[in-house]
Amino acid sequence: MNFSVVFSNGTNSFNKGFYLTAFRNLENKNYLILALAIIYIITLLGNLVLLAVVLMNSSLQNPKYLAVCNLAIVDISVNSVIIPQMVPVFAFNQNYVSFGACFSQMFFMHFFGDMESFSLALLAYERLIAICWPLRYSTINTNLRMLLIIAGIWALVVLLEIFPVIFAARLPYCSSREVQSCCCEHSPVYKLACTDTSFNRQLGTAKTLTALLGPLTFIIFTYAIVVVAVTRIASISQRWKAFHTCLTHLLLVLLYYMPVMLAYVLGNLRLIQNFDLYTAVLTVSVTIPPMLNPIIYSLKTDELRDKIVKLLGKPKVAQQIIKNEANG
């Protein structure tokens, strides 16, 4: 998706690029790059193993794990868009980004970032059907239906992201080209335009609220229904089993939304005065959930954990992991 060709704004500003200026004054920034590299490697390994296990086991090829695989693909994509481009920029001071590359990165970064929240909402939907309508689950939630829902979500998020990026790409950039960020985020870029950007700000705010609060509201509503349904179960052991199946998903939701809320609080209350430090905290908080998601899901889901241990081919290690989880 090359915005420099498709979205000319008539000012020839697309012939020039941008300079990313984050971390200029951050001490020991190489440690940050090293930490992000480790996060990226673990993200790839964890999610690729999860995907391989599902593909190699027909018993896991069901609607639940289709939703899990969707999240794994999104996790890989989020960190692949953010981290690799940061290494040459900040390790080797190659901070120039062409116009087209900047807006392409902007689209994919926000697209996959917002896909995280919608993917978590999809997992909440799957748990809702499994707990509230267990006897009808196989007819309500077929593989085909889940694939269609996933395709619909991807199409919806494309529509949410494309317009803010298009309108930002069509702005005239005739003054500063220094983006105060570690990547081409929407807000730091459009603010450089030499024209009124109030519409872009309103559009970006509306999109962000929709992409974050929409899925979160759906998740809260879903679990309210689940809690009511579970409390009607007579058996205490069955209640606990039902709640336990939701625990993993709730951990993923907290892992995603808590850093976002923390970054928002830190930024608006100016609790971190150093801009480079704040950017570093925000970057790490965004990239850690995709790394931890497959680890948490694998350890907390007995069925998936057993398959992964068998794939690794270490029965003694498998027994120890299972024993530790049982004791924990």
Side-chain angles (χ1 to χ4, degrees), residues 114-190:
D114 291 341
M115 272 299 302
E116 282 273 341
S117 57
F118 281 92
S119 298
L120 292 173
L122 179 63
L123 287 171
Y125 159 78
E126 190 278 330
R127 285 295 82 199
L128 173 69
I129 304 300
I131 293 174
C132 295
W133 296 279
L135 299 179
R136 298 177 56 198
Y137 181 89
S138 59
T139 56
I140 297 176
N141 234 8
T142 63
N143 282 350
L144 177 59
R145 189 165 297 172
M146 180 60 76
L147 287 172
L148 290 175
I149 293 173
I150 291 172
I153 290 174
W154 282 65
L156 172 63
V157 179
V158 167
L159 292 177
L160 281 175
E161 301 299 337
I162 193 69
F163 293 107
V165 177
I166 289 176
F167 286 117
R170 293 184 62 84
L171 292 172
Y173 295 94
C174 47
S175 54
S176 174
R177 292 303 182 97
E178 294 189 352
V179 179
Q180 293 189 357
S181 180
C182 60
C183 44
C184 288
E185 296 180 83
H186 181 248
S187 179
V189 172
Y190 80 71

Side-chain angles (χ1 to χ4, degrees), residues 7 28 38 50 69 94 118-119 137 140 169 174 195 211 215 225 238 273 293 324:
F7 305 115
N28 301 319
I38 294 173
L50 191 153
C69 287
Q94 298 177 5
F118 281 92
S119 298
Y137 181 89
I140 297 176
C174 47
T195 187
I225 298 175
Q238 290 296 321
Q273 298 295 328
N293 284 346
N324 292 339

Side-chain angles (χ1 to χ4, degrees), residues 23-143:
F23 308 144
R24 277 184 174 179
N25 301 315
L26 183 67
E27 296 181 3
N28 301 319
K29 65 180 179 181
N30 288 335
Y31 290 111
L32 173 63
I33 298 300
L34 177 61
L36 291 174
I38 294 173
I39 289 173
Y40 186 55
I41 292 171
I42 297 175
T43 299
L44 290 179
L45 289 176
N47 285 288
L48 287 175
V49 167
L50 191 153
L51 289 170
V53 168
V54 174
L55 288 174
M56 295 171 62
N57 292 272
S58 58
S59 62
L60 298 180
Q61 295 170 12
N62 53 49
K64 174 182 177 180
Y65 286 102
L66 285 177
V68 172
C69 287
N70 173 69
L71 179 62
I73 292 171
V74 171
D75 285 339
I76 292 173
S77 301
V78 168
N79 282 0
S80 294
V81 171
I82 296 175
I83 296 177
Q85 63 86 28
M86 292 180 63
V87 175
V89 171
F90 300 111
F92 306 107
N93 294 320
Q94 298 177 5
N95 64 333
Y96 174 79
V97 183
S98 68
F99 187 94
C102 184
F103 284 96
S104 296
Q105 184 195 60
M106 180 189 297
F107 172 81
F108 287 110
M109 181 180 64
H110 288 292
F111 172 78
F112 288 115
D114 291 341
M115 272 299 302
E116 282 273 341
S117 57
F118 281 92
S119 298
L120 292 173
L122 179 63
L123 287 171
Y125 159 78
E126 190 278 330
R127 285 295 82 199
L128 173 69
I129 304 300
I131 293 174
C132 295
W133 296 279
L135 299 179
R136 298 177 56 198
Y137 181 89
S138 59
T139 56
I140 297 176
N141 234 8
T142 63
N143 282 350

